[in-house]
Amino acid sequence: EAQLLESGGGLVQPGGSLRLSCTASGFPFSRYAMSWVRQAPGKGLELVSGNSASGDRRSYAESVKGRFTISRDNFKNTQYLQMNSLRAEDTAVYYCARGDCSGGRCYSGFDIWGQGTVVTVSS
Amino acid sequence: DIQTTQSPSSVSAFVGDRVTITCRTSQSIGSHLNWYQKKPGKAPSLLISMASSLQSGAPSRFSGSGSGTDFTLTIRSLQPEDCATYYCQQGYDTPWTFGQGTRVEIK
């Protein structure tokens, strides 16, 4: 069974840093694009960042450009989200998701999701 | 970035009613449009991909249509378990943006 498991969330002060991890199992991780999606309290879903299967094509929401970095280790079946200069508005549940995407285009939706990890930015 | 706009923001209907949600994109995206169901405390669940392809396990009362810039999600006969927020997402170009969501409630 394909699964994703996020970790690394927690409470951090404004201006601080946090690294989220997402470990995959049950499917060939290196064949799939991966993304991070968040939902702030009372808000909708926001695509934070996406990464191609090989890790060479990355995209970011305008709200996190220059502060967040997505990466992946296909040998460890794990993707990461390095979050720097955190702000109160980054407080959210962060989900890891799998997509069948190549060349920047997706040929199916995000069909596998993790359970989410909570990030709280507060002093 | 491609803008993705949903309407209405919320809808209230009776059990058994037909419910329609629309999604419009700021440029043509072919059929690269997905629909998700999101319930509180749970991860989003993919309902429909590529505008009209129903995901395995999703109830057949859900259907999607459209191409280009205008898309529709239809719930043929609303059930109590369909109370959720529904999101469209374009998969045509990065970043793969979501619509702002449509909350579906039972009257």
Side-chain angles (χ1 to χ4, degrees):
Chain A
E1 180 188 3
Q3 290 186 331
L4 297 170
L5 183 63
E6 303 97 336
S7 60
L11 174 64
V12 61
Q13 293 187 340
S17 298
L18 213 54
R19 188 176 86 153
L20 305 183
S21 299
C22 169
T23 300
S25 61
F27 68 94
F29 179 74
S30 63
R31 295 186 189 177
Y32 287 88
M34 297 296 297
S35 294
W36 290 97
V37 178
R38 70 184 178 184
Q39 185 173 36
K43 302 292 186 180
L45 299 177
E46 180 185 22
L47 191 286
V48 174
S49 182
N51 198 358
S52 62
S54 61
D56 63 351
R57 182 170 180 155
R58 309 174 188 183
S59 63
Y60 299 92
E62 282 297 325
S63 57
V64 306
K65 273 183 185 176
R67 300 188 298 123
F68 290 12
T69 301
I70 193 171
S71 63
R72 62 190 294 161
D73 185 334
N74 285 346
F75 294 102
K76 294 184 177 179
N77 291 346
T78 302
Q79 79 156 349
Y80 305 97
L81 186 68
Q82 178 66 43
M83 305 187 293
N84 298 331
S85 303
L86 282 161
R87 306 167 179 167
E89 53 265 36
D90 296 317
T91 295
V93 178
Y94 285 73
Y95 296 98
C96 170
R98 176 186 95 167
D100 181 12
C101 311
S102 64
R105 198 153 292 171
C106 293
Y107 298 92
S108 72
F110 294 176
D111 61 343
I112 303 295
W113 294 72
Q115 84 291 347
T117 188
V118 178
V119 173
T120 303
V121 184
S122 174
S123 55
Chain B
D1 297 356
I2 297 175
Q3 305 305 310
T4 310
T5 304
Q6 277 181 247
S7 63
S9 57
S10 66
V11 58
S12 183
F14 292 103
V15 170
D17 279 354
R18 182 185 186 95
V19 172
T20 299
I21 300 168
T22 63
C23 181
R24 177 166 289 176
T25 55
S26 58
Q27 66 182 73
S28 180
I29 62 169
S31 297
H32 294 270
L33 194 285
N34 310 306
W35 291 97
Y36 299 85
Q37 180 187 68
K38 177 70 170 69
K39 294 183 176 181
K42 293 193 174 182
S45 174
L46 178 64
L47 278 175
I48 289 171
S49 63
M50 294 299 287
S52 61
S53 180
L54 187 68
Q55 283 299 105
S56 175
S60 59
R61 61 181 177 274
F62 290 94
S63 64
S65 64
S67 65
T69 61
D70 294 293
F71 301 86
T72 300
L73 173 69
T74 300
I75 308 174
R76 187 181 69 242
S77 175
L78 187 66
Q79 299 301 305
E81 58 266 33
D82 300 334
C83 290
T85 302
Y86 294 84
Y87 295 89
C88 62
Q89 179 207 26
Q90 64 83 14
Y92 185 78
D93 194 15
T94 58
W96 303 305
T97 46
F98 288 89
Q100 71 272 33
T102 297
R103 185 173 180 177
V104 175
E105 298 175 329
I106 300 288
K107 277 185 182 176

